[in-house]
Amino acid sequence: MCVCSKYVTDNNNHHTLQGKIMDLTAEILLLNNKPDLADYLRQYLSLEFSKVDCLHESRQAIGPLARGEYKLLVLSNHLNDMEGLEFVRLLRKEAISIPFVMIAGDSDIRQAVEVMKEGAVEFLQWSDDTDAFFPYVAEVLRRALYLHSKLQLVSESELLYKTLFENIRDAVFVHFVDDKTRQPTTFIEVNQVACRRLGYSREEFASMTPFDIDVPGSVDMKAVMEDLCLNGSVIFSTFHATKNRQHIPVEINSRLFDLKGQKAILSVARNITDQQKALDELKNSELRFRSIIEKCIVGICITDEKGFFEYVNDEYCRIYSYTSEEMLGKHAQMIVAGEHKQMMADLHDEFILTGKMIKNEWHVVDKYGSSKIAVADAARVTDVDGRYRKITFVQDVTEERQFKEALELSEVKYRTMMESLQDPVYISDRNYNIIFTNKAYQKRFGKVKEGARCYNEVFGEKHPCSWCKATIEGKTTVRKRMEKTINKRDYEVTTVPIQFEDVYMAKMTILRDVTKTVKARRRAEESDKLKSAFLANVSHEIRTPLNAVLGFSSLLKDEDITRDETLMYVDMINESSAHLMHVMDNIIEFSFIDSGLVKVEPVLIDTDGLLKDIGEEAVRMQTKMNKNNLKIAFHNRLPDELSLVCDQVRVRQVLLNLVSNALKFTEIGGVTVTIFQSQNKWVVFSVKDSGIGIPKEKQEVIFRRFRQVDEGQTRMFGGNGLGLALSKHLALMMGGYIKLESVPGKGSEFQLFLPENFDQSLTRVPFMGYIK
């Protein structure tokens, strides 16, 4: 018997293997051309590993290896039908990947090198000293399996983090930090979300820094970097600019970490556009409901946890004859008689703890000591800080109590609340008959005839809608909200299943007029179209001077031109650059106004000096436009004692715009600028011309941004459609306005009305129609 057999026949006496705990779960395949030796090795390895199989034909091994039945292959350098190295290459050709160890009975160093090049974990030389060789083989196989498991784990972990990095819904950016300047360097990695959101490729991001995607002025990046370096993390909000220059509001969570010995920053940017919209909608909703509460005929108050007033509406104040200033900050005990004060305090504390209150009648006293009967109901709510608040609804039932029972009072209260709503409300029964309408409905649509069906009376349809049918059949108990056009106005229609006056399966429908909102939405859509038209207009205004600058700059390279020609070309370049600067100034001015960065700086204006300055500038415009034939006159007819206090820079800006327009559209005659005081004490700057005039239907359009009277005139006279819109906006900001009178073919007169003394309370923000 071969010496190897003792590992099978004498297991009980083998102290090195007896009782050994198998800590590796592995499937090993032995592929050998010598069955006896391979079987002895298999028997020994079976004591170490969970599964060890032995095959002698390479064709038998292809299938199990392809199916992944084994984790490690141990093969001889010579097989029955091919060489071991040839078999390894066959596996690679069949795309079968498995770690392998080769055992050679005869070999040289060249064969070992070739095997290791093919990716062998180890190359072993067979030894007949099995007492030493078999344990050595087992140790090699354990190490091979361990390394393979570790590499597989690392690969899976890397794949997991890469998957998370690419599939997180937020944009992720990674970049280093310059240790000296504390400034961020170029991006070293971004995920696909960042590329899709901002429109840049990974290659483009590789040459960009956070400053390239951050909208200037959105956040103090220097302070953010200092905070980040100090605390290791920071959360802030800013705006990211996409490749096509759209601005996206984002919340960024940045953390400092060590990457290969360098300080790096991982930033996760979340798009908060929807949150911003939701916040705006919440503010608008709060304003709407506050307006309803203020006008509600039911008294409403809010008290804190200790019972002190935080809010009272007008009706609540009327019931108790106090003003809101007299009640706010005071305890609610002030509205009850002395013997009931402690009871009210106890009930309030109990309500705050439990949130339960039974609607009850209270005998209360007003400011003058008069006794009243009030029906009170309450609700407990939680504020944003998690503290309880009590909202109390109070109705003075002193007179009604003498004639009606408590149940009738409740009905009256809720019916009255419905009647007080500004939105039209109607209730229909299961047969679609309208059985109730509030005052707002009757005022808007008139009284309803008996037996009128809701779908026909309100919406002008021949059949009830599918949702109404589902409600009647009991298939839905939720509210329905939709938009409908009724009598040429847009309404948001909300329908809720209710029980009304013992009528089951009734429906309450609220019609909220959203015509203005819909118009605003349509204006927004129109704004996009107008901006596209603006780009078409402004491209002419920008490209024309740019072409001049480029053209005359190229001509200056000619060595044969004279000095006079050089000066002429330089003048042309300066003139084109100035025109281009004027266009850009107007655009930037509007961006500042939209951002709220423009403020009025009132000073005492020297009107004579102002007219002189405007006159000198007008002469330069006249020369530039080659209209020296026009007459320009200036008249100051203000009283000597009048002192005009306003923003001189903005007044000058508006007047120059008006004078420039007058000169631009006037070919014969002249322009007259006059300052006078109107009968109602306005200071009026009049700019009158004898130009082409403006049709009546276009006189409102020209004050809108990017709009002009006629596109043909845009090409003839130039302009980008911003001057008058900007002038109107500045006039409103100074507490004044601009008035236009014009007759086509005879001329126009623009009048700037300003108050004698600037008053901040008189400033106005123009309606969005002017801005667009």
Side-chain angles (χ1 to χ4, degrees), residues 614-741:
I614 298 297
E616 294 173 353
E617 188 65 30
V619 171
R620 284 192 288 271
M621 294 179 187
Q622 188 178 15
T623 303
K624 181 179 176 181
M625 296 179 187
N626 196 23
K627 293 187 177 183
N628 294 323
N629 60 309
L630 298 180
K631 295 181 179 180
I632 305 177
F634 295 86
H635 305 289
N636 188 352
R637 295 174 181 169
L638 290 176
D640 295 336
E641 66 277 7
L642 187 144
S643 299
L644 176 60
V645 177
C646 198
D647 191 326
Q648 182 164 332
V649 174
R650 300 304 177 189
V651 173
R652 180 181 182 274
Q653 184 178 358
V654 173
L655 290 178
L656 285 177
N657 275 338
L658 297 179
V659 171
S660 175
N661 271 0
L663 291 172
K664 184 189 301 182
F665 294 103
T666 302
E667 299 296 333
I668 300 174
V671 177
T672 302
V673 180
T674 307
I675 310 177
F676 61 92
Q677 187 177 28
S678 66
Q679 294 182 353
N680 50 6
K681 303 302 181 182
W682 289 90
V683 175
V684 183
F685 293 82
S686 170
V687 179
K688 189 173 184 179
D689 63 66
S690 57
I692 63 175
I694 303 169
K696 187 71 175 179
E697 65 274 10
K698 297 292 185 179
Q699 292 182 11
E700 181 181 352
V701 173
I702 61 173
F703 288 104
R704 296 182 182 177
R705 199 183 295 186
F706 314 140
R707 301 298 297 272
Q708 294 179 327
V709 174
D710 183 71
E711 182 66 20
Q713 293 178 359
T714 300
R715 294 292 175 257
M716 181 183 299
F717 296 100
N720 50 52
L722 289 174
L724 288 179
L726 182 61
S727 299
K728 181 128 190 173
H729 200 132
L730 294 175
L732 293 172
M733 291 180 62
M734 293 186 290
Y737 63 94
I738 293 179
K739 181 180 178 182
L740 167 62
E741 293 182 359

Side-chain angles (χ1 to χ4, degrees), residues 382-427:
T382 306
D383 63 14
V384 293
D385 297 322
R387 296 173 297 186
Y388 287 129
R389 292 292 184 270
K390 179 183 179 182
I391 302 179
T392 306
F393 305 90
V394 178
Q395 185 177 7
D396 184 357
V397 295
T398 304
E399 295 181 2
E400 291 84 351
R401 184 65 181 82
Q402 300 173 4
F403 306 102
K404 298 180 180 180
E405 295 295 329
L407 184 60
E408 295 174 345
L409 288 174
S410 177
E411 179 184 350
V412 169
K413 181 180 73 170
Y414 289 108
R415 182 184 290 270
T416 305
M417 290 179 62
M418 189 179 297
E419 290 287 2
S420 68
L421 293 175
Q422 300 299 310
D423 295 328
V425 177
Y426 71 86
I427 297 175

Side-chain angles (χ1 to χ4, degrees), residues 235-246:
I235 299 176
F236 61 97
S237 297
T238 183
F239 283 85
H240 277 175
T242 66
K243 190 173 183 180
N244 58 4
R245 312 317 300 170
Q246 292 181 345

Side-chain angles (χ1 to χ4, degrees), residues 453-464:
R453 301 294 179 90
C454 61
Y455 57 84
N456 182 268
E457 179 74 18
V458 180
F459 304 114
E461 298 177 356
K462 295 182 179 180
H463 305 285

